[in-house]
Amino acid sequence: MSEPESLRCSSVRNRGGVQRVEGKLRASVEKGDYYEAHQMYRTLFFRYMSQGKHAEARELMYNGALLFFSYNQQNSAADLSMLVLEVLEKSEAKVEDEILECLAKMFSLMDQNSPERVAFVSRALKWSTGGSGKLGHPKLHQLLAVTLWKEQNYSESRYHFLHSSDGEGCAQMLVEYSASRGFRSEVDMFVAQAVLQFLCLKNKTSASVVFTTYTEKHPSIEKGPPFMQPLLNFIWFLLLAVDGGKLTVFTVLCEQYQPSLKRDPMYNEYLDRIGQVFFGVPPKQSPSYGGLLGNLLNSLMGSGEEDDGAEEAQEDSSPIELD
């Protein structure tokens, strides 16, 4: 672990005392005394916290986590990573890019299949929005999405891209996802789902960017518009209709492209929500879906959220707040 990397999360100018302590702890880890070093880190954490030395505690736990990760001591590293979050929560630290990058760094080093990783990311996202129950800071979602993309965990990466503002990155990931895991006949469905979900989340800007970037960069899509695939033409017209805001155009468009929209039963559900958000269509009686389908609809369509109105939604290019 290089010195510049160890300083990334530090907001403390005078590190003399912390450096001396870290030197002793590093020596213990290098000798293989992992348990003793871990316990000493925890002892120092509670001591610093009781003294109100939040910056020192956060720095020490972060550097300790990186040290344990470098020796493949996953459990100890994950525990110190959680203590970093505890400092952030208790000190009511402001959300800054530097801190979000540190959290994403620890996430990237955790065992991909560990339950600690799931707990860490859930808690980190909650902290990043002030514990308000929102789904997390867009920047943190973007950093997580990139990490998961590198791990070829495309479905989880797509989820986090949807809650970021990085339409271009999402499109590039989807091109790779489609090329490596999808059928050639499904090339249009990968981007259609993403565009519809971005629109459900009121993120019109990212919806447009992901469509343009995907269709330009995908090797199996001929230059358009118009496109060879009817579904891509529908999405293109839909984005134009959203900009125009005319309900009649939206209605005719959905009717004309029903054969393409029947390829995925979720498309019309997404379009119902898009009609409400951008065209002022009154919500239908809420269907009582259960299981996976119900969870997907609730998460994407803002279960329990009040409608902001079509006009306001068109101006809002950020993800909506979801439970």
Side-chain angles (χ1 to χ4, degrees), residues 11 16-17 25 39 42 45-46 64 77 102 104 123 128-129 135 171-172 190 195 231 235 240 255 265 289 298 300:
S11 60
L25 292 169
Q39 294 307 308
R42 291 185 61 85
F45 171 79
F46 292 112
C102 290
R123 192 169 169 184
S128 72
T129 47
L135 272 187
Q172 292 173 343
F190 278 81
V195 170
L231 184 59
I235 296 296
L240 293 175
E255 290 173 352
Y289 293 116
N298 287 337
L300 276 171

Side-chain angles (χ1 to χ4, degrees), residues 140-141 176 183 230 261:
L140 182 55
H141 275 295
E176 184 179 309
F183 296 104
L261 297 177

Side-chain angles (χ1 to χ4, degrees), residues 138 142 146 149 161 164-171 198 203 206 209-210:
Q142 191 266 343
V146 170
W149 177 12
F161 269 125
S164 76
S165 300
D166 186 6
E168 183 174 356
C170 182
F198 268 125
N203 194 339
S206 293
V209 170
V210 75

Side-chain angles (χ1 to χ4, degrees), residues 29 161 264:
V29 172
F161 269 125
D264 186 330

Side-chain angles (χ1 to χ4, degrees), residues 73-106:
Q73 297 298 304
Q74 283 284 329
N75 290 338
S76 296
D79 181 58
L80 298 193
S81 299
M82 287 295 194
L83 293 181
V84 172
L85 286 174
E86 186 171 330
V87 181
L88 294 173
E89 292 163 351
K90 292 186 175 179
S91 65
E92 299 181 354
K94 292 183 179 179
V95 177
E96 299 173 350
D97 284 355
E98 186 180 40
I99 295 176
L100 297 179
E101 288 166 5
C102 290
L103 296 178
K105 174 71 172 178
M106 291 184 287

Side-chain angles (χ1 to χ4, degrees), residues 170-180 213-215 217-219:
C170 182
Q172 292 173 343
M173 182 276 295
L174 289 173
V175 169
E176 184 179 309
Y177 190 9
S178 168
S180 63
T213 306
Y214 182 91
T215 53
K217 292 185 178 295
H218 201 294

